[in-house]
Amino acid sequence: MKLLTILFVTFILGLLGTKIFQGDWNFLFSGNLGMAAFIIFTGLAHFKFQKGMAMMIPEFIPGKLFWVYFTGIIEIAAGIGLLIPSVRELTAFLLIIFYILVFIANINSSTKNINIFKADFTGPGMAYLYKERIPMQIILIAWTWYFGIYLN
């Protein structure tokens, strides 16, 4: 849930910035800016913690490092796409699908107690999945839908 701080703080800063510089609260821009900052941050983490993230991928999927780097690039591109009005809705739709698909890796990671930061098996396990990851996935999907599709 610590990652959600990036989302919320960027959203609030965006709101304050648009109020100060444009004279009005721009919820659409600020909501997408918050998600863009969040998803770009997590995308960059794919390059720093690639070994731990590769451990999250189910065994039956080959080329684990390729998928870690590829999804990192996808996340960075999605962050940029959310900030471009002409592709925002499509980006949000694809990002929601992405969130659902990568949740499989989160389940796999939790069942194996993977610690992505240390690339070992000292992670928080299923407690993390139930108490943090599932609520965070719901927030991310709802946020992306609301600001990227509904308000768009």
Side-chain angles (χ1 to χ4, degrees):
M1 292 293 228
K2 293 175 187 175
L3 281 173
L4 289 179
T5 304
I6 296 167
L7 177 68
F8 295 129
V9 168
T10 306
F11 172 68
I12 291 166
L13 291 174
L15 280 176
L16 292 172
T18 58
K19 179 65 173 170
I20 291 167
F21 295 108
Q22 296 177 347
D24 201 8
W25 307 101
N26 189 333
F27 285 91
L28 177 65
F29 171 77
S30 301
N32 283 292
L33 180 65
M35 184 55 70
F38 172 87
I39 199 70
I40 289 170
F41 180 84
T42 60
L44 293 171
H46 285 231
F47 297 92
K48 181 169 173 89
F49 304 109
Q50 71 273 20
K51 290 178 185 172
M53 289 194 179
M55 293 172 69
M56 294 175 65
I57 300 172
E59 295 302 319
F60 65 89
I61 298 176
K64 292 178 183 8
L65 278 179
F66 165 80
W67 291 111
V68 170
Y69 294 133
F70 180 72
T71 55
I73 291 167
I74 293 292
E75 290 181 7
I76 293 166
I80 294 167
L82 289 174
L83 298 176
I84 302 170
S86 63
V87 296
R88 179 178 293 136
E89 191 170 336
L90 175 62
T91 300
F93 176 75
L94 294 173
L95 189 54
I96 289 169
I97 292 170
F98 177 81
Y99 282 142
I100 293 166
L101 292 175
V102 297
F103 189 65
I104 295 165
N106 295 124
I107 294 169
N108 188 52
S109 173
S110 294
T111 59
K112 294 181 178 178
N113 290 6
I114 294 171
N115 182 329
I116 63 167
F117 307 110
K118 295 180 181 178
D120 64 19
F121 298 98
T122 62
M126 295 305 285
Y128 168 76
L129 183 71
Y130 296 129
K131 293 179 184 176
E132 294 187 38
R133 192 61 205 205
I134 290 174
M136 185 166 72
Q137 272 325 91
I138 292 168
I139 291 167
L140 295 176
I141 291 168
W143 188 287
T144 302
W145 172 81
Y146 184 75
F147 289 104
I149 297 172
Y150 181 76
L151 285 184
N152 197 37

